[in-house]
Amino acid sequence: MTSILPRRHQIGLPLDQLILSDPPGAEALEMDVLFVGAGPAGLAGAIELARLLKQDQEAGGSLGDLSIGVLEKAGSLGEHCLSGAVINPRAFRELFPGMPDSTFPFRQAVTAEAVYFLREHGSFRLPTPPTMHNQGFYTASLCEVVRWLGEQAEALGVNLFPGFPADALLVEGNAVRGVRTTPSGLNRERAPTDAYQEPTDITARVTVLTEGTRGTLGQAWREWQQVASPNPQIFALGVKEVWQVKRPLDRVIHTLGWPLPNDAFGGTWMYPLGPELVSLGLVVGLDYRQAALDAHTLLQRLKLHPLVRPYLEGGELLEWGAKTIPEGGYYALPARRSGAGLLMAGDTVGFVDVPSLKGIHYAMQSSMFAARAAFQALKAGDPSAEALAAYDVMINESYIVRDMHRTRNMRLAFKDGLWRGGIKAGLMTLTGGRFPGGRIAMHADADQPRTLPPEETAPAFVPDGRLTFSKVDAVFKSGNATRDTIPTHLLAPSDIPGDVADFYAHVCPAGVYERTPEGLRINAPNCVDCKATDVLGPRWTPREGGSGPKYRTM
Ligand SMILES: Cc1cc2nc3c(=O)[nH]c(=O)nc-3n(C[C@H](O)[C@H](O)[C@H](O)COP(=O)(O)OP(=O)(O)OC[C@H]3O[C@@H](n4cnc5c(N)ncnc54)[C@H](O)[C@@H]3O)c2cc1C
Ligand code: SF4
């Protein structure tokens, strides 16, 4: 065997577990609107809806008190949130009119920026492409942003439920009626322990899926409702570290080239988060060709580069984490993001503009539109598919779709490698997206064959424990302390060949997979919910609340 095709070893979505037509239990909690996922999307939508309700009440409107809930799988808000991040404040300004930017939970304004092309031992500066200009924007930690949004939501009476992952959609006919949460306190064999807590059913007149990248319920709903898109969604994996540094970083830095191979799409970033903190990371498209590519190791190598190392020397790694990014752009957007009793917003839909690496303000803005559509539908007493379709109209007429249309083929051009992609992307920028005309067709990441390494490979990278770290150290730095006895939430067939097990071991930045003489070993508690193997290998499913990483500044 010289190559492997990930799709051949991946099981389908377990729709029978994710879409349940059982009636809600007698103890079901009743909500009017339920957001699933407390990221920037879920919280911005809940805040917008609470504000609309308040205005309605003050104007003597008919809606009265509505209950708004936000479910979150992390034990505390923000612990599962990770981003770069440079934030475009546009959605903040709209959500909090009258509040100056200085009140938002940003770290610092972007005052200078540079783009470099890296070779292993050197670099040269490139002109900053128009799509990558960040003047007027702010660096931030998404964890901090989310904690702050949570405080604003609570102050407006929104019910936040951290530690409650949604496990399945409750449906009746074609309509979504709410969710069932995961049980907790199961042992490895899925038998209840003394700590067992059964699932809770939460019903809602409108359920808004804001579960982020590669959302499991969003995937299930689309498959169940057969909602297509011109291209399949594709993803990148981002691995990130936060460092306490002695030498302040004075600008936003992006790089292309090394340590990524030429046939992989991606790059790296360094953002200042104040004088002492630096956010550093690497992103790679999951359609890369070489089975042995390992994003975690590439990030470790990057830190030894002469452009990066001087900032980190004498500093300390504070946190590590990983997450995928939906990269398919305009042509991967689902034909509709609404249905009876259901709306979807943020990354679970794919509202990310890849050339500018921006998703936060699109996530917030899309969910604010979802809140407006839900509000109108409830005011009319009609959360039907037809009424909620007003959301799709708002999205289609918004700057979200306009921005994504302008860069519609840019990421897709790179499927032929860095050089050809770079030239095409330049022409697309010059023509406002009109070159080359039409859509560049794309296949799903799992359908990209991976070339196996030759028998004799280069020696494995050995971390020094000072600047560079192993995956075990990295998981420790993610704060992950999931109990060892948790049942696995990663679904794989039992007959995974050795080469494929090796491939999974490289894909997973958290060291969850190991090749053993018996086959594939899955160390499920290590998982940091980045979802990369849901894209390329074992399926990720929701697990006990509070499991996974405990990010603080990611
Ligand atoms: C490495 C990286 C760098 C990035 N850099 C930038 C940047 O610089 N600027 C920018 O604008 N954007 C950036 N993005 C994109 C941006 O972070 C996302 O677009 C944005 O976070 C999406 O917001 P969201 O609310 O849709 O999803 P998320 O932020 O992922 O939040 C989803 C929430 O839902 C929760 N959840 C998931 N499933 C369930 C469930 N079943 N039940 C309950 N809760 C659930 C999750 O735990 C999470 O808290 C970056 C992304 C990555 C990964
Ligand atoms: S097992 Fe978890 S941490 Fe590893 S790639 Fe899959 S989702 Fe990410």
Side-chain angles (χ1 to χ4, degrees):
M1 190 159 56
T2 55
S3 72
I4 52 179
L5 187 65
R7 172 80 64 211
R8 283 182 53 190
H9 307 281
Q10 191 174 46
I11 60 168
L13 259 189
L15 271 199
D16 54 336
Q17 286 176 38
L18 297 167
I19 306 277
L20 302 177
S21 43
D22 321 349
E27 310 276 286
L29 184 62
E30 285 178 24
M31 288 274 144
D32 290 296
V33 180
L34 181 67
F35 291 82
V36 178
L43 292 167
I47 291 168
E48 175 74 357
L49 183 57
R51 263 223 335 251
L52 289 169
L53 279 173
K54 204 165 153 219
Q55 283 166 9
D56 187 66
Q57 283 164 354
E58 283 164 5
S62 53
L63 265 177
D65 249 356
L66 291 190
S67 48
I68 307 169
V70 186
L71 289 187
E72 171 52 49
K73 66 181 164 65
S76 290
L77 288 203
E79 286 183 348
H80 287 186
C81 288
L82 180 152
S83 193
V86 172
I87 299 186
N88 176 338
R90 180 173 182 166
F92 274 86
R93 291 177 187 153
E94 188 170 325
L95 188 59
F96 303 103
M99 274 169 88
D101 286 4
S102 56
T103 45
F104 301 142
F106 301 146
R107 282 289 183 139
Q108 65 181 75
V110 177
T111 49
E113 56 190 326
V115 179
Y116 293 90
F117 188 85
L118 296 195
R119 295 211 181 91
E120 186 167 357
H121 301 292
S123 61
F124 56 89
R125 192 161 170 187
L126 297 169
T128 304
T131 49
M132 291 174 80
H133 281 298
N134 287 298
Q135 296 287 334
F137 300 165
Y138 297 89
T139 66
S141 143
L142 189 59
C143 301
E144 292 173 355
V145 165
V146 160
R147 287 199 293 267
W148 186 85
L149 287 172
E151 286 163 18
Q152 310 307 309
E154 248 177 341
L156 286 163
V158 172
N159 303 286
L160 303 178
F161 300 104
F164 283 91
D167 205 18
L169 289 178
L170 297 174
V171 303
E172 189 184 331
N174 266 339
V176 173
R177 295 285 178 239
V179 302
R180 177 165 295 167
T181 65
T182 54
S184 60
L186 295 174
N187 68 15
R188 276 201 199 108
E189 285 69 45
R190 299 195 169 272
T193 65
D194 290 347
Y196 178 70
Q197 286 193 337
E198 59 184 20
T200 307
D201 288 350
I202 308 181
T203 61
R205 290 158 76 194
V206 181
T207 301
V208 189
L209 296 182
T210 48
E211 42 176 354
T213 178
R214 192 70 175 177
T216 306
L217 300 183
Q219 286 183 70
W221 180 79
R222 279 184 62 181
E223 201 168 308
W224 173 57
Q225 289 289 300
Q226 300 184 355
V227 179
S229 51
N231 277 346
Q233 187 54 271
I234 57 169
F235 293 85
L237 173 61
V239 276
K240 170 175 173 180
E241 296 184 355
V242 174
W243 277 73
Q244 179 137 38
V245 293
K246 297 234 159 76
R247 175 178 162 184
L249 179 66
D250 58 356
R251 65 209 132 132
V252 158
I253 293 180
H254 289 108
T255 76
L256 301 169
W258 189 88
L260 289 165
N262 285 341
D263 56 8
F265 174 78
T268 81
W269 81 83
M270 277 175 88
Y271 300 153
L273 299 174
E276 290 180 354
L277 283 195
V278 166
S279 153
L280 164 88
L282 175 139
V283 173
V284 59
L286 288 178
D287 60 339
Y288 62 78
R289 313 288 162 93
Q290 301 173 18
L293 187 147
D294 190 313
H296 173 78
T297 306
L298 293 180
L299 177 61
Q300 301 314 303
R301 289 188 193 280
L302 172 77
K303 290 185 286 178
L304 302 176
H305 190 274
L307 184 74
V308 179
R309 185 176 190 142
Y311 290 102
L312 307 183
E313 281 291 1
E316 188 193 347
L317 170 67
L318 298 183
E319 278 192 77
W320 173 95
K323 198 162 212 174
T324 49
I325 311 171
E327 282 208 329
Y330 176 81
Y331 288 121
L333 292 178
R336 64 187 165 93
R337 313 101 201 176
S338 63
L342 184 118
L343 296 166
M344 299 165 79
D347 270 19
T348 192
V349 182
F351 292 133
V352 171
D353 180 57
V354 178
S356 58
L357 189 57
K358 295 285 177 298
I360 294 171
H361 66 295
Y362 298 127
M364 292 172 68
Q365 187 74 61
S366 58
S367 193
M368 287 153 64
F369 289 139
R372 290 172 202 169
F375 174 78
Q376 290 302 344
L378 293 183
K379 213 164 159 54
D382 174 25
S384 64
E386 293 71 27
L388 291 174
Y391 169 62
D392 278 312
V393 177
M394 287 186 230
I395 288 285
N396 290 340
E397 290 175 354
S398 73
Y399 70 87
I400 304 174
V401 165
R402 256 196 321 276
D403 288 0
M404 292 180 72
H405 186 256
R406 205 172 299 129
T407 58
R408 56 195 175 278
N409 275 314
M410 266 194 201
R411 163 64 180 93
L412 308 177
F414 284 88
K415 73 176 190 178
D416 297 326
L418 179 68
W419 301 117
R420 289 170 70 179
I423 293 165
K424 286 185 198 163
L427 290 169
M428 288 169 195
T429 307
L430 285 175
T431 60
R434 284 185 295 280
F435 171 85
R439 162 179 68 96
I440 298 182
M442 194 72 187
H443 49 61
D445 297 315
D447 293 319
Q448 171 66 50
R450 314 290 153 141
T451 313
L452 290 169
E455 288 290 311
E456 284 169 35
T457 48
F461 180 80
V462 182
D464 62 17
R466 200 174 59 82
L467 278 181
T468 57
F469 297 90
S470 68
K471 290 186 178 179
V472 175
D473 292 337
V475 174
F476 178 71
K477 287 289 185 184
S478 75
N480 187 346
T482 306
R483 68 182 167 91
D484 280 345
T485 50
I486 198 167
T488 185
H489 61 299
L490 299 157
L491 313 179
S494 55
D495 56 347
I496 293 292
D499 287 336
V500 178
D502 277 341
F503 170 59
Y504 295 166
H506 288 301
V507 169
C508 176
V512 167
Y513 303 103
E514 266 179 87
R515 177 180 182 167
T516 67
E518 294 76 42
L520 178 69
R521 178 184 294 152
I522 302 182
N523 306 308
N526 275 16
C527 176
V528 294
D529 293 4
C530 79
K531 311 275 186 79
T533 49
D534 192 67
V535 177
L536 294 178
R539 288 283 182 185
W540 182 96
T541 56
R543 55 179 162 165
E544 177 177 303
S547 309
K550 293 201 184 303
Y551 299 142
R552 288 163 290 126
T553 336
M554 289 307 233

